[in-house]
Amino acid sequence: MEKIYLAIPLLLLFSAVVTGLFGRYIGRVGAHRIAILGVLTSFILSIVVIKHIIFDGAPVYNETVYVWMVSGGVRFEIGFLIDELTALMMGVVTFVSFMVHIYTIGYMNDDPGYQRFFSYIALFTFSMLMLVMSNNFLQLFFGWEAVGLVSYLLIGFWYQRETAILANLKAFLINRVGDFGFLLGIAVVLVYAGSLDYAEVFANSGSMASQTISIFWGAEWDVITVITILLFIGAMGKSAQFPLHVWLPDSMEGPTPISALIHAATMVTAGIFMVARMSPLYELSETTLGFILVIGSITALFMGFLGLIQHDIKRVVAYSTLSQLGYMTVALGASAYGAAIFHLMTHAFFKALLFLAAGSVIIAMHHEQDMRRMGGLKKYMPITHWTSLIGCLALIGFPFFSGFFSKDSIIGAVQYSELGAANIAYVALLAGVFVTALYSFRMYFLVFHAGERMDEHTRSHLRETPWVVTLPLILLAVPSVFSGFVFEPVVFGEFFDRSIYVADSHNVLAGLGSTFEGIGGFVSHALAGPVVYLALAGVVTAYLIYIVKPQFAADMQQQFPFLYKIMDNKYYMDYLYLNVFAGAGRITGRVLWKLGDVIAIDGFVVNGSARVVGWFSAALRRLQTGYLYHYAFAMIAGMMVLVSMFVIKGLL
């Protein structure tokens, strides 16, 4: 099996190199054939791994593939850890990437960067696989930074657009903030555990939990709390948690296929996966778990609010991603790691579906993305319409769709958490259910059902998109409906017992799972709570506002202009970063330049030393007059000084 493990990421690296370096020679058809063959083979091999590890119950594979360096007794190496968590992530990543590869043929058909785009998405998938397959922090950091680098290239793929360049710079810089914390966390792990290998670090976690570290002002912090918070700061950047979320909506400047790949299965899920992988560390710090719970709650609710006022169809789905990542983060904070990963899986399917469906609409509308210029597309695009409806129903957690099982598991698990912030998180998640249904079906009704608002030229050319676009929609719709039915063994069973550690006092999923039995019991339990009814209320509210009385939304905007302005400016987070943090940095730089460069270095050291030399030289020039009597006078004066010194010395 080791050869299969190696082949899965290396096939994607090979296709990325070939299509990137030799794209002009193999042509457009050759490029997409090589890229699709590579990701398809990786997907098939991932299914083999799933069968081997999950269904056949094979032992966990944890081996070193290549030793890069040994320094001071610390091994820097490439290695794979293949267990149930890894196998599940490999299957999700390669399947969604395969769908995106097929879809790209239709979406990027006329783009001059066709071969380059296939190279990038293959490299993106390779980077994510190296991240999830790693068995040590060095390789984890490599994959972590690689997905960040390739996302920079993909968000700014259309580099002729100034907005795309600004968006990829924003994503790169915001992630540098999170990655600085992540790197510090790895450094503290190395100092206190003496190793970068997961197994060795987890084995030493107990001793680390008993140690403290002085950070500032003499305050003592638990080492394990410092490590987990620093690592989570990295996750806040990658998985776009408040307040490091601002880059994700702007990533919509990239082509739609990469929006689907970033939001569904690669970069933004890296932080969620990392925290779940590090569960033996996080379970030792309730302080960190409470912090994660609060951050996830804020993201889940307040990012959902912003989806209510967006007019760009892709940005609505983008803010939905932010909100759903908040749900996953809350689950991590509540120690419901299995529910978080399960929601990551179901979300990957229906979010990829929604993004690709949005792209299908954009193609049909001649790259128009404003929902105010759409409407009535149901009769023109039946496949896109029905698959979009499936994606929306899965997103809001409609009964028997995949999101129903994963989202309800998270909300139910939070009820059983004994952390101090659990009650606040529970209320935020319930409110988020209503908000999610409202913005999801606002989008659905405005695009597919409200009156036609496009121009006549666009209307006359409206038709369903080609099969290379609609086929991935259909294939993604299937798991968006049915993947939730495996919830019982994955969330409440022993599926992750070899991958994830949960302390007995934090085992909220065990408490939730004891309240029902089977799918019927889960549905009955869900129907007895408020979640389904809040989602239904959101759908009905969206119908009343955007179909029955479409003027109501505009009236509300006029009634509450202050609230709308705050939301339209995205809570002024961009203003804060640009004018406070970046502005303060510019002012500090200007002051240091004035005091340091202009006054101290240029004025005092460089120009000052030159002025001293000039002054001294000018003084010496005055002594060199060229007149003999001046020199004779100087010699006589000098002789008198010497004689005076000898006389005085003799008298003393």
Side-chain angles (χ1 to χ4, degrees), residues 98-148:
F98 178 44
M99 296 297 100
V100 169
H101 274 69
I102 296 174
Y103 182 91
T104 299
I105 298 174
Y107 194 89
M108 303 293 288
N109 183 51
D110 299 322
D111 196 282
Y114 190 82
Q115 293 97 313
R116 178 165 57 94
F117 189 80
F118 273 103
S119 176
Y120 286 172
I121 58 177
L123 186 60
F124 202 18
T125 311
F126 160 77
S127 302
M128 187 65 186
L129 286 173
M130 290 298 289
L131 188 155
V132 301
M133 295 172 70
S134 63
N135 73 346
N136 63 86
F137 283 94
L138 175 68
Q139 185 176 328
L140 174 69
F141 188 71
F142 164 77
W144 194 267
E145 292 302 306
V147 294

Side-chain angles (χ1 to χ4, degrees), residues 36 63 112 135 152 164 185 197 200 279 314 328 335 338 379 381 428 455 478 483 499 522 636:
I36 290 175
E63 298 291 341
N135 73 346
Y152 169 83
D197 183 81
E200 294 181 22
S279 58
K314 285 176 64 177
M328 299 176 210
S335 296
K379 65 181 180 181
M381 309 178 69
D455 58 66
V478 174
S483 62
S499 311
F522 186 93
I636 293 169

Side-chain angles (χ1 to χ4, degrees), residues 24 35 58 94 101 104 109 148 246 456 597 623:
R24 67 172 64 183
T94 53
H101 274 69
T104 299
N109 183 51
V246 294
E456 187 57 39
D597 282 13
L623 299 177

Side-chain angles (χ1 to χ4, degrees), residues 441-482:
F441 275 83
R442 168 183 177 263
M443 176 182 68
Y444 171 73
F445 289 134
L446 287 177
V447 173
F448 294 104
H449 285 278
E452 298 177 4
R453 300 177 298 282
M454 70 287 292
D455 58 66
E456 187 57 39
H457 174 75
T458 303
R459 181 187 290 108
S460 64
H461 290 84
L462 277 174
R463 61 179 59 86
E464 187 60 88
T465 44
W467 71 268
V468 289
V469 174
T470 55
L471 178 62
L473 301 184
I474 296 170
L475 294 177
L476 284 165
V478 174
S480 296
V481 176
F482 297 109

Side-chain angles (χ1 to χ4, degrees), residues 603-623:
F604 182 74
V605 177
V606 178
N607 295 331
S609 60
R611 280 193 293 269
V612 169
V613 171
W615 175 83
F616 188 68
S617 300
L620 288 176
R621 281 199 302 272
R622 290 190 180 93
L623 299 177

Side-chain angles (χ1 to χ4, degrees), residues 19 62 93 113 131 133 203 247 311 324 339 345 372 421 442 454 463 476 511 596 613 617 638 641:
T19 53
N62 184 11
V93 170
L131 188 155
M133 295 172 70
W247 68 271
H311 302 298
Q324 296 308 303
M345 179 188 76
R372 293 171 294 186
R442 168 183 177 263
M454 70 287 292
R463 61 179 59 86
L476 284 165
V613 171
S617 300
V641 171

Side-chain angles (χ1 to χ4, degrees), residues 315-388:
R315 285 185 180 265
V316 175
V317 186
Y319 279 106
S320 165
T321 300
L322 283 171
S323 181
Q324 296 308 303
L325 287 168
Y327 275 83
M328 299 176 210
T329 303
V330 168
L332 296 173
S335 296
Y337 303 100
I341 297 299
F342 186 56
H343 193 51
L344 183 157
M345 179 188 76
T346 60
H347 175 265
F349 299 136
F350 62 70
K351 187 51 58 68
L353 172 59
L354 286 171
F355 264 114
L356 299 187
S360 179
V361 169
I362 292 168
I363 294 171
M365 293 291 297
H366 299 285
H367 294 278
E368 175 61 66
Q369 297 183 198
D370 194 328
M371 296 187 298
R372 293 171 294 186
R373 298 188 179 94
M374 299 179 186
L377 296 185
K378 176 183 177 181
K379 65 181 180 181
Y380 300 104
M381 309 178 69
I383 298 176
T384 301
H385 162 255
W386 288 112
T387 52
S388 295

